[in-house]
Amino acid sequence: MSCVTNDEVPTQVATDSAPRPRARRRGRPSVPLLSQKRITRAAVELIGARGYPALTMAALARELRVAPSALYNHVASKRDLLRWLQDHVNRGIDASAFDTEPWDVALERWARSYRDAYVRHAPLVPVIAVTPIAGSPHTVAMYEGVVAGLCAGGWPEAEAVDVVVALESFVLGSAMDATAPADIFDVPDDAAAPALARAGLLRAGRDNADAAFEAGLAALVTGFRARHPGGAGG
Amino acid sequence: MSCVTNDEVPTQVATDSAPRPRARRRGRPSVPLLSQKRITRAAVELIGARGYPALTMAALARELRVAPSALYNHVASKRDLLRWLQDHVNRGIDASAFDTEPWDVALERWARSYRDAYVRHAPLVPVIAVTPIAGSPHTVAMYEGVVAGLCAGGWPEAEAVDVVVALESFVLGSAMDATAPADIFDVPDDAAAPALARAGLLRAGRDNADAAFEAGLAALVTGFRARHPGGAGG
DNA sequence: ACCTGAACACCGTTCAAGT
DNA sequence: ACCTGAACACCGTTCAAGT
């Protein structure tokens, strides 16, 4: 009550009824307002709330209550921001089965977890495909776990990477496919595409993206099992 | 020579030495300058010459010697233009093997042709995944041929579409992967990722994208053969 | 080093005015 | 119907000026 600390005029109090959205002195703040962690976190929240089209540098800066140009003291470009996001998303992928399960079981679990993560982040997929992993610690850790697990399961190192890249291509393609509208294969006139039209009727109401992913995943693992050096396959 | 038609002052002739880059009366031309065909053709040429980043509505209009706003009399949006491009690229994919070869051989050939086409058009991949095929005649024809071929080869219609979608996901993911830099898996410090580092050394100099694609394609086809209802597989 | 504020060079798209 | 020209509402990014 009678204390003399500086809480009688907190920054939220307006001097009168006029709205004063923010006030900060012009120069460098004594403690930095931004960091990679804070920027990434705000970007994830923004995407979660309003989707990828809403992720603009201006909107992100607004979320962080900062001028847009302030972001460029921490990240070189929007492209680099997307790389941070990629690493954040990869952190959520579960590759732990490679520690406990046979390589083929682990591969299936990893693929499902990987696809699940990117179905919600499909706009990152084109970024992933072209981005060297070196600067992304969680991404490196994930691949190391997967490749080490495959090698422990009997795969030669060079071939293990082929398996990983092939599976990743399928997973990322499937993640993009999962964002498609359900009626993507609908055809207007049945005469021009009778097989497609019949198939469309048979498939109506199914979750086609999931079914195709599971079919492809099973085929891929079956095929790799057949190729595995010490395997029971052909 | 002595004819009285309107060719004595063609549009290319400048009245004096001053450069006059273009001259056209303001109103509607007697014969339309643009069409879907001409716009698509110019876009393909522009992409071929200067790449996808150069494909802007302004640059495309310039190529066609037209004001940017003129394009919008023919195409509703840049997105729709990309759909036209998708259909054009799909026209170049060879699915003819389904007419003459067993389904598994045809599937492999189609997949290679499909990937080849989109390696040069990777920026279209995210568009494809989300675009209904109905408005794209060549795309519909391609899928119809593939699904009909699979059905003729003994696949039930609904399952045939799963096979197609799974293979397509793999192909499009692989096309994006093929645009990645060769050193995408390089890791700076070997201690943190020893398996990855060893694999990187073994793979240096190889065409890794091609190897991974062929490995995945072979596995996928092997797996589908094993699942085929009338097949010799398990 | 790290912020603000004011620019810059684009981008896709719209629309009135012309024929 | 189909073009031009002039706008509009963005976008990512740069940079001098401040502390």
Side-chain angles (χ1 to χ4, degrees), chain A residues 167-178:
Chain A
L167 201 82
E168 187 182 39
S169 295
F170 173 65
V171 161
L172 295 179
S174 297
M176 288 194 310
D177 178 61

Side-chain angles (χ1 to χ4, degrees), chain A residues 40-224:
Chain A
T40 305
R41 183 182 166 76
V44 170
E45 282 172 8
L46 185 56
I47 290 160
R50 298 170 49 213
Y52 271 89
L55 180 65
T56 67
M57 298 303 267
L60 182 58
R62 202 180 139 77
E63 206 79 1
L64 289 159
R65 305 196 182 281
V66 127
S69 53
L71 293 167
Y72 291 89
N73 288 308
H74 298 266
V75 67
S77 63
K78 184 174 182 182
R79 176 122 209 193
D80 274 12
L81 169 64
L82 294 179
R83 288 194 246 262
W84 291 357
L85 280 171
Q86 181 207 347
D87 200 45
H88 172 86
V89 172
N90 283 350
R91 191 181 195 168
I93 297 174
D94 181 12
S96 65
F98 285 97
D99 298 332
T100 58
E101 305 294 329
W103 68 267
D104 50 351
V105 176
L107 209 54
E108 270 195 51
R109 292 203 192 156
W110 175 57
R112 288 202 189 90
S113 175
Y114 199 159
R115 175 173 172 265
D116 283 348
Y118 278 97
V119 166
R120 287 164 296 173
H121 294 276
L124 289 181
V125 169
V127 178
I128 292 172
V130 186
T131 303
I133 64 174
S136 307
H138 301 116
T139 304
V140 169
M142 177 181 79
Y143 286 117
E144 173 66 15
V146 173
V147 170
L150 288 175
C151 293
W155 283 94
E157 267 141 349
E159 281 185 64
V161 178
D162 284 340
V163 172
V164 169
V165 171
L167 201 82
E168 187 182 39
S169 295
F170 173 65
V171 161
L172 295 179
S174 297
M176 288 194 310
D177 178 61
T179 68
D183 61 347
I184 191 167
F185 275 112
D186 281 5
V187 283
D189 85 293
D190 302 357
L196 222 45
R198 269 196 305 275
L201 291 176
L202 289 169
R203 293 166 62 83
R206 290 204 316 158
D207 189 332
N208 293 315
D210 274 11
F213 173 69
E214 287 298 332
L217 179 57
L220 223 28
V221 172
T222 298
F224 282 135

